[in-house]
Amino acid sequence: QVQLVESGGESVQSGGSLRLSCAASGFMYRNYCIGWFRQVPGKEREGLAVVDSDGTTSYADSVKGRFTISQDNTKKTLYLQMNSLRSEDTAMYYCAAAESPSIIVLRECASKITASSDMEYWGKGTLVTISS
């Protein structure tokens, strides 16, 4: 069973930067897709960025150029570097993953930004608050 634990959320001022971490464990297969999503109460969950086990990354247009997703396979940790933060970035941020013995999970990874329900495993989230 894949387990995901997010950390790094805090309150920062607008224009600042923050790095979120997601400790991942329990993957059974080599092929996976893992990424970051966020949600504001009363709004739909929003996909931000994903990376597959080959290292291919994809981003939502809303964060492209400001957010960077990366993974440290040695530490089994996923990161989200967030720069030029805005008040509208305030949300609960979640790490989510899907794995498969098939490489299809790699081919479909980018699509999971807009199809978050396809992710099988979710962390409990970390809260990011941006103050102006």
Side-chain angles (χ1 to χ4, degrees), residues 4-5 14-15 25 53 57 63 92 95 97 101-102 107 109 113 127:
L4 304 169
V5 180
S14 179
S25 62
S53 44
T57 58
V63 301
M92 185 69 81
C95 176
S102 168
R107 295 173 183 166
C109 192
I113 289 180
L127 181 63

Side-chain angles (χ1 to χ4, degrees), residues 94-130:
Y94 298 91
C95 176
E99 63 169 351
S100 173
S102 168
I103 63 171
I104 290 178
V105 70
L106 307 184
R107 295 173 183 166
E108 296 177 347
C109 192
S111 69
K112 296 188 190 308
I113 289 180
T114 55
S116 61
S117 58
D118 289 349
M119 289 299 209
E120 300 172 87
Y121 306 103
W122 290 83
K124 293 184 178 181
T126 186
L127 181 63
V128 173
T129 304
I130 310 302

Side-chain angles (χ1 to χ4, degrees), residues 74-92:
T74 301
K75 295 181 180 179
K76 297 183 180 179
T77 302
L78 181 73
Y79 301 101
L80 185 68
Q81 177 66 44
M82 305 187 294
N83 299 327
S84 302
L85 286 163
R86 309 163 180 165
S87 57
E88 54 263 40
D89 294 319
T90 294
M92 185 69 81

